[in-house]
């Protein structure tokens, strides 16, 4: 018997749609969430500070900005970011994770310009007057960039660093009372990290992994079905994108 001494006991919470591994990946990114960030100048100052803390040419990543909470009520654009980072690539993710903003250097490194073809299910925003890219990408256009950076960065990390990254993120969820999650966008690299974290005895949150459709053929061909796994890590349903998000 545990004496709560007047405290309140809640059951653990289950987050039925989250992105734990993406949260882990962005945990050390610039936090651009309101109310601390009130306008685009606040974003620019945060990026300027981060540029000073990174090596020249190293990608700068930020997340959780919300345009409708900014005084300007608009997305930042490539030119805003170029003011403080003309030579270092910058990418900032919208809080919905269905849009992002890149500066000119990042656009160049991703081979994106005014002639780039807009992918099905995505938007590459262009200035209506000049036809030049604003730096804002939506849905599949954003995910093409994110997928490249995400996989590249995970592969560049050591196994121990990946386990630490995942374990730290799980700890944040556990601190909030979340004991189980459905990760609604799992690729082979992230599933491998979940397995390694579990094998290392450092998994503090149960994960119901939802493989993304385009990487699910191998799983389907093996005959693995939803529910395969154990109490801490299971294969869930397949994640399918149909018509984009609301951002």
């Amino acid at each position: 018997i545990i004496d709560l001494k007047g405290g309140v006991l809640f059951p653990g919470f289950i987050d039925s749609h989250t992105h734990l591994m993406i949260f882990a990946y962005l945990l050390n990114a610039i936090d651009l969430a309101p109310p601390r960030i009130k306008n685009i100048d606040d974003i620019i100052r945060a990026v300027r500070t981060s540029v000073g803390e990174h090596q020249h040419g190293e990608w700068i990543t930020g997340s959780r900005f919300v345009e409708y909470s900014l005084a300007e009520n608009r997305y930042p654009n490539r030119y805003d970011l170029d003011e403080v980072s003309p030579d270092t690539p910058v990418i900032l993710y919208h809080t919905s994770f269905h849009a992002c903003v890149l500066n000119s250097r990042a656009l160049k490194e991703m081979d994106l310009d005014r002639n780039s073809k807009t992918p099905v299910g995505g938007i590459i925003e262009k200035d209506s007057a000049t036809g030049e890219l604003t730096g804002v990408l939506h849905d599949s256009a954003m995910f093409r960039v994110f997928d490249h950076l995400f996989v590249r960065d995970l592969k560049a990390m050591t196994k121990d660093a990946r386990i630490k990254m995942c374990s730290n993120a799980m700890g944040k969820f556990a601190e909030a009372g979340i004991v189980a999650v459905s990760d609604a966008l799992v690729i082979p690299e992230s599933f491998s990290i979940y397995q390694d974290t579990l094998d290392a005895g450092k998994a503090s949150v149960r994960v119901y992994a939802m493989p993304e459709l385009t990487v699910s053929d191998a799983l389907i061909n093996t005959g693995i079905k939803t529910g395969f796994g154990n109490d801490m890590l299971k294969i869930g349903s397949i994640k399918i994108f149909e018509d984009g998000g609301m951002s």
Side-chain angles (χ1 to χ4, degrees), residues 17 29 111 124 191 194 204 226:
H17 185 127
D111 293 324
I124 299 176
F191 193 83
Y194 283 135
S204 57
T226 295

Side-chain angles (χ1 to χ4, degrees), residues 172-218:
K172 296 291 185 183
F173 275 64
E175 288 173 7
I178 300 172
V179 299
V181 302
S182 291
D183 188 334
L185 186 64
V186 173
I187 60 174
E189 289 79 8
S190 53
F191 193 83
S192 177
I193 295 172
Y194 283 135
Q195 289 182 303
D196 290 339
T197 304
L198 180 59
D199 290 343
K202 295 184 177 181
S204 57
V205 170
R206 292 179 173 86
V207 176
Y208 184 79
M210 298 172 62
E212 202 275 319
L213 178 63
T214 59
V215 298
S216 297
D217 285 348

Side-chain angles (χ1 to χ4, degrees), residues 6-77:
V8 178
L9 178 65
F10 288 94
F13 297 107
I14 299 174
D15 192 329
S16 62
H17 185 127
T18 189
H19 301 285
L20 174 56
M21 192 58 65
I22 294 174
F23 173 79
Y25 172 69
L26 295 175
L27 199 53
N28 293 321
I30 308 170
D31 185 357
L32 301 174
R36 187 175 64 87
I37 300 297
K38 296 179 173 59
N39 51 52
I40 289 177
D41 281 345
D42 287 343
I43 293 177
I44 299 308
R45 278 191 289 270
V47 171
R48 179 188 290 112
T49 298
S50 187
V51 169
E53 296 170 346
H54 287 73
Q55 296 181 2
H56 179 75
E58 185 179 0
W59 276 75
I60 305 296
T61 303
S63 68
R64 302 176 66 202
F65 79 85
V66 185
E67 85 286 0
Y68 48 81
S69 290
L70 300 176
E72 297 86 352
N73 194 31
R74 68 169 177 86
Y75 279 59
N77 57 46

